[in-house]
């Protein structure tokens, strides 16, 4: 309640300043328009003083917080702040939950990436081993083909030489046969 004189003084100051401004407006403008300006300024000053006096009741706090009961109306300014704080706390909790959910998702993705990387590495090693096996098998088959080709060429040479010798014998037999026929 120590703020009560300050509120009274502030309200009186606003009212006094309004009356002084109204008098100045009337003297400067003059006539009916000056009177209307003065009335408007006085009305504004009066409403400002009333607002300051009414605000005093909302802003005074009891000396003992235990005297305040649940049924007592809360101050509008504090209620607004209380609601804003509550909304911000709810938003903070929601954001915290979303952040935790994102952290869990990132951890799951990191685990999955690690497993897939290990699986890809094992698969690459298995494929490299299979490639080495296939290359060794290819080299063995190339050696086998080279050996078979050499054997086949030897066989052909043997057959070719035998055919050539038999061809000479046949040619000789044909000549003898022609000689016999011609006699």
């Amino acid at each position: 309640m120590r703020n009560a004189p300050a509120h009274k003084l502030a309200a009186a100051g606003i009212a006094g300043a309004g009356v002084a401004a109204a008098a100045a407006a009337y003297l400067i403008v003059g006539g009916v328009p000056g009177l209307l300006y003065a009335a408007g300024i006085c009305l504004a000053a009066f409403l400002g003083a009333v607002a300051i006096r009414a605000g005093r009741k909302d802003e005074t706090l009891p000396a003992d917080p235990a005297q305040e009961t649940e049924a007592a109306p809360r101050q509008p300014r504090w209620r607004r702040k209380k609601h804003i704080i509550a909304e911000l706390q709810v938003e903070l909790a929601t954001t915290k939950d979303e952040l935790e959910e994102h952290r869990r998702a990132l951890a799951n993705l990191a685990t999955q990436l690690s497993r897939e990387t290990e699986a890809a590495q094992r698969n690459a090693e298995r494929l490299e081993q299979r490639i080495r096996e296939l290359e060794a098998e290819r080299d063995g088959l190339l050696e086998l083909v080279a050996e078979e080709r050499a054997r086949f060429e030897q066989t052909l040479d043997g057959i070719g030489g035998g055919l050539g010798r038999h061809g000479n014998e046949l040619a000789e037999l044909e000549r003898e046969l022609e000689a016999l026929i011609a006699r």
Side-chain angles (χ1 to χ4, degrees):
M1 292 282 194
R2 290 175 14 191
N3 290 338
H7 282 286
K8 286 181 185 178
L9 185 62
I14 293 292
V19 169
Y26 179 71
L27 292 176
I28 292 173
V29 176
V32 174
L35 185 63
L36 291 175
Y37 283 131
I41 293 172
C42 282
L43 180 63
F46 175 74
L47 292 176
V50 169
I52 289 176
R53 285 293 286 166
R56 178 189 63 83
K57 293 178 185 172
D58 290 339
E59 293 177 5
T60 57
L61 296 176
D64 185 17
Q67 293 176 351
E68 189 175 314
T69 62
E70 293 296 322
R74 294 279 179 160
Q75 300 86 2
R77 190 172 98 212
W78 293 110
R79 189 172 1 148
R80 262 193 318 239
K81 289 180 181 178
K82 179 181 173 184
H83 286 291
I84 291 171
I85 290 171
E87 289 173 1
L88 289 174
Q89 287 174 339
V90 168
E91 188 177 333
L92 180 64
T94 303
T95 304
K96 181 180 175 185
D97 292 341
E98 288 175 2
L99 180 62
E100 188 60 34
E101 184 178 322
H102 286 285
R103 283 183 185 154
R104 276 188 252 119
L106 283 174
N108 290 343
L109 288 174
T111 302
Q112 183 180 0
L113 179 63
S114 175
R115 282 189 300 227
E116 289 180 4
T117 301
E118 290 172 3
Q121 189 171 0
R122 286 191 305 268
N123 193 26
E125 291 171 358
R126 184 181 54 82
L127 289 174
E128 287 175 0
Q129 179 62 29
R130 181 68 179 141
I131 288 171
R132 285 191 293 272
E133 291 171 1
L134 289 173
E135 286 175 345
E137 188 176 335
R138 180 197 63 197
D139 292 342
L141 289 174
L142 287 175
E143 288 178 22
L144 182 64
V145 166
E147 290 173 7
E148 288 297 319
R149 179 178 284 153
R151 214 175 328 147
F152 182 70
E153 287 176 358
Q154 287 175 354
T155 304
L156 276 180
D157 287 344
I159 292 174
L163 285 177
R165 194 177 53 231
H166 290 296
N168 290 341
E169 290 175 5
L170 283 175
E172 190 177 314
L173 284 174
E174 279 183 18
R175 281 189 295 252
E176 286 178 9
L177 185 59
E178 286 177 7
L180 283 175
I181 294 177
R183 293 193 216 168

